[in-house]
Amino acid sequence: MTTPHATPRATTEGTVYTVTGGDWDEIVENAAASDDERIIVNMGPQHPSTHGVLRLILEIDGETVTEARCGIGYLHTGIEKNLEFRSWTQGTTFVTRMDYLTPFFNETAYCLGVEKLLGIEDQIPDRATVLRVLLMELNRLSSHLVCIATGGMELGATTIMIYGFRDRELVLDLFELITGLRMNHAFVRPGGLAQDLPPGAVDQLREFVKTMKKNLPEYDALATGNPIFKARMQDVGYLDLTGCMALGATGPILRSAGLPHDLRKTDPYCGYETYDFEVPTADSCDAYGRFLIRLEEMRQSLRIIEQCIDRLEPGPVMVADKKIAWPAQLALGPDGLGNSLDHIKKIMGTSMEALIHHFKLVTEGFRVPVGQAYTAVESPKGELGVHVVSDGGTRPYRVHFRDPSFTNLQAMAAMCEGGQVADVIVAVASIDPVMGGVDR
Amino acid sequence: MGLEEKLPSGFVLTTVEQAAGWVRKSSVFPATFGLACCAIEMMTTGAGRYDLARFGMEVFRGSPRQADLMIVAGRVSQKMAPVLRQVYDQMPNPKWVISMGVCASSGGMFNNYAIVQGVDHIVPVDIYLPGCPPRPEMLMDAILKLHQKIQGSKLGVNAEEAAREAEEAALNALPLIEMKGLMR
Amino acid sequence: MSDEHNGSSVPAPRDEHGEVIGVRRGMFGANNGGDTSGYGGLVRTVALPGASSRPYGGWFDEVADELEGALEEQGLVPENAIEKTVVDRDELTFHIAREHLVNVAKTLRDDPALRFELCTGVSGVHFPGDKGRELHAVYHLRSLTHGRLIRVEVSTPDEDRHLPSLVPVYPTNDWHEREAYDFFGLVFDGHPALTRIMMPDDWQGFPQRKDYPLGGIPVEYKGAQIPAPDQRRSYS
């Protein structure tokens, strides 16, 4: 057989190749013979079932995913850099917007870090700590509800989405009552909380627990035993313990592999060791196991919330040290959260020292001794770690968030490769990545 | 666009304008363009309590080809900006944009290297919606205001006239820095 | 790499009293123009916490002993690998020479008495004032077996921003190292695909270094120009 291409011909300047062309039929034949149905599919960064601006690059062979890669960074906000130009207290305003479904975890982790640097962990009032736990557990409920709701929607189960958002609204009502905002609260501050519970909050909290106890079984009735739901979720997104440990996956993913690792138990903070609750696990290593774990964690969160309500003793919610405590006695006014009128009367009318102090602390902020600290909390997605570095100034020198979504999302390839295209959606939904946390 | 753009100005055109506006505003299909925190509030708006279906808008389209409203919900990063423009370009005319939240409208608190300081650098914006994030009620208010705008939009020669007038008004408007009184 | 400080491509030797990372002058950050506060002559050096001496307290001694013993078993001199040990705020930090990082990490992971199975990623820190060791890579290792947490810190000079990758030991560091490269320009030798992860591929510079500006723009608000946060007055 002769080659269809002409031979190269040498000239004085070099080799010249001439293309005389081949036969298209030959190319088509070759392509058919290689049985190559591989195509690259780009999902996102704007796709309805990728949890925000996640880009999935899938190499598929027929219906089978042979290779899966993530493209992230489409929501990179530079929050860590922005923090370096604001005071330590203003930092909470930024970190709350990182993983926007778990604002209280971001704030608490950050504030625990700052408090560790300041060396005032022991001086945080009990009431503030109990309220932090209360808010975090409420937040765990709302985050898991969104996970289950959007996860259900991505499976095509729109009903579950309506249910999830219905119950999330109840949590947001409480957040709004307590902090004045539905999302992005900046309520937990270094040294304590921005303000105390408003009147009537405890009654509403009790009412909420009662309602949720009635509502949670509905998810069981709707999804847990549902054969279609199970068929879509079981044995999908498989990641065993070895994979979890190698990839650093924490949270429900790790617990679905059977390891009861929960920082609330293994490395307690905020007095979690004194609360009575259990860490649910599963041994199925799949998306369905993670769903069951999330459901059970919501029940456990309700237990903790009940204990928190019982433990609430009257007292301050901010550390007594006036060099750190936010001076403004904040109060909810008709135009939102602001300085209380009494406080303004005092600093403007009677005490110039108080005015100077207020001014210095609010504009300049407090100084934090040189050093670094790492604090971690168990967010609904896993270990949320904060590495804070101070150079002794009034601004953070460097704050780094080890966001669980970011780390867990690495496991996407391990979960999806070899599976079906439709299962990619389920696997990603079971990781529950929030791009605000992944990209920060 | 179709025949309505070729109609002569006068009674026929204004009647068609009203009819077209009414039809268009009654069934706006938003594209899912959730980016950050605001996206969660956008989803909440579509869910049970706030129920966007009351305004014929509960169907969020996954494909920009089937959508005529883009709700830019959240901060737009430099990396996302070309994608956003591409999605916008894929939407068929007529199309509208709501810039939801301060980050999309002006960059908000993220005045830094990573975030586009206002999505109006990339796509024309019809409604700016402040808030961080705006409440679902605010989003619905913005949507109703957009409905009013769609209802009153012009066609054909009238549209050209309106565009000319808007251009004129924009050229004559005082810069914000020179405004006096309550606008300051 | 030799221990002596030849040129700029080798980390500077450590100071006994902790690295000086900067000098703070004055009181109110009025660096341009006169400081009328009366504190203009105030000069304070800023130094990170210095090396600690034994006993470190609690389980810190046990971990340090085990690590040194395990390194000796491999024929390494612990003093060469562990530049200094800092105990600060109830946290144990090993400063590791970068050429020994992989060995130390492997030992920390595999030694039955240590068992730091979980790496929570790497956090880059840029100290322009820490001459000769400007870039620090900070790893936090968690032991699920023993319920412990330690910090491993590696530093490199700005001229030679190379350090070995920990991906072979802790695969979870894949994205974390790409992130540290993206933001600080730290080059992790041996990483399977060290590319930008957050910023667009064609981005210039490493945005979270201290010499990279915040990049904010002035905002016009009610007739006034409000400068970007990094252009405003700061308090030193």
Side-chain angles (χ1 to χ4, degrees), chain A residues 69-226:
Chain A
R69 291 289 177 271
C70 283
I72 61 169
Y74 292 94
L75 195 59
H76 175 59
T77 317
I79 292 179
E80 287 169 3
K81 178 100 176 171
N82 250 77
L83 280 173
E84 293 166 16
F85 297 95
R86 301 286 181 162
S87 76
W88 288 94
T89 308
Q90 284 173 315
T92 50
T93 327
F94 280 94
V95 298
T96 189
R97 284 164 174 80
M98 282 188 170
D99 183 344
Y100 36 81
L101 288 182
T102 61
F104 286 114
F105 291 92
N106 303 342
E107 293 167 24
T108 309
Y110 168 78
C111 289
L112 287 176
V114 178
E115 285 157 11
K116 197 170 189 179
L117 280 178
L118 285 164
I120 56 166
E121 301 110 305
D122 305 334
Q123 302 167 33
I124 308 301
D126 278 346
R127 189 178 171 85
T129 308
V130 174
L131 279 176
R132 281 180 184 180
V133 172
L134 176 76
L135 289 168
M136 279 196 282
E137 293 308 322
L138 281 172
N139 203 171
R140 192 182 309 277
L141 274 167
S142 70
S143 171
H144 280 344
L145 283 170
V146 170
C147 172
I148 290 173
T150 55
M153 184 173 63
E154 283 157 16
L155 293 181
T158 324
T159 320
I160 250 201
M161 182 221 163
I162 301 287
Y163 274 67
F165 274 93
R166 175 199 68 180
D167 290 339
R168 180 172 177 270
E169 281 300 312
L170 301 178
V171 186
L172 291 201
D173 284 346
L174 285 174
F175 285 166
E176 195 177 350
L177 176 76
I178 295 170
T179 72
L181 292 160
R182 287 162 56 87
M183 293 170 79
N184 302 347
H185 314 276
F187 187 68
V188 183
R189 305 276 170 91
L193 301 174
Q195 58 170 160
D196 204 346
L197 283 185
V202 174
D203 296 335
Q204 285 223 25
L205 281 164
R206 285 192 201 282
E207 193 62 33
F208 166 77
V209 173
K210 220 184 280 173
T211 320
M212 273 315 276
K213 279 194 172 158
K214 194 166 97 276
N215 287 359
L216 275 184
E218 289 178 8
Y219 294 90
D220 275 326
L222 195 63
T224 307
N226 187 326

Side-chain angles (χ1 to χ4, degrees), chain A residues 45-48 52-53 72-79 81-82 86 93-94 97-98 100-101 146 150 153 161-162 165-166 168-170 172-173 176 181-184 435-436, chain B residues 32-41 43-44 46-50 61-63 74-80 83 87 109-115 132-137:
Chain A
Q46 192 51 51
H47 190 277
V53 282
I72 61 169
Y74 292 94
L75 195 59
H76 175 59
T77 317
I79 292 179
K81 178 100 176 171
N82 250 77
R86 301 286 181 162
T93 327
F94 280 94
R97 284 164 174 80
M98 282 188 170
Y100 36 81
L101 288 182
V146 170
T150 55
M153 184 173 63
M161 182 221 163
I162 301 287
F165 274 93
R166 175 199 68 180
R168 180 172 177 270
E169 281 300 312
L170 301 178
L172 291 201
D173 284 346
E176 195 177 350
L181 292 160
R182 287 162 56 87
M183 293 170 79
N184 302 347
M435 297 318 286
Chain B
T32 51
F33 209 91
L35 295 167
C37 336
C38 293
I40 307 292
E41 288 296 65
M43 282 155 70
T44 312
R49 185 186 283 188
Y50 298 99
R61 301 314 305 187
S63 163
R75 46 215 191 216
V76 183
S77 69
Q78 309 276 7
K79 195 171 178 176
M80 193 66 196
V83 183
V87 170
M109 66 193 291
F110 303 113
N111 191 356
N112 63 17
Y113 64 93
I115 294 295
C132 189
R135 300 176 60 90
E137 292 95 329

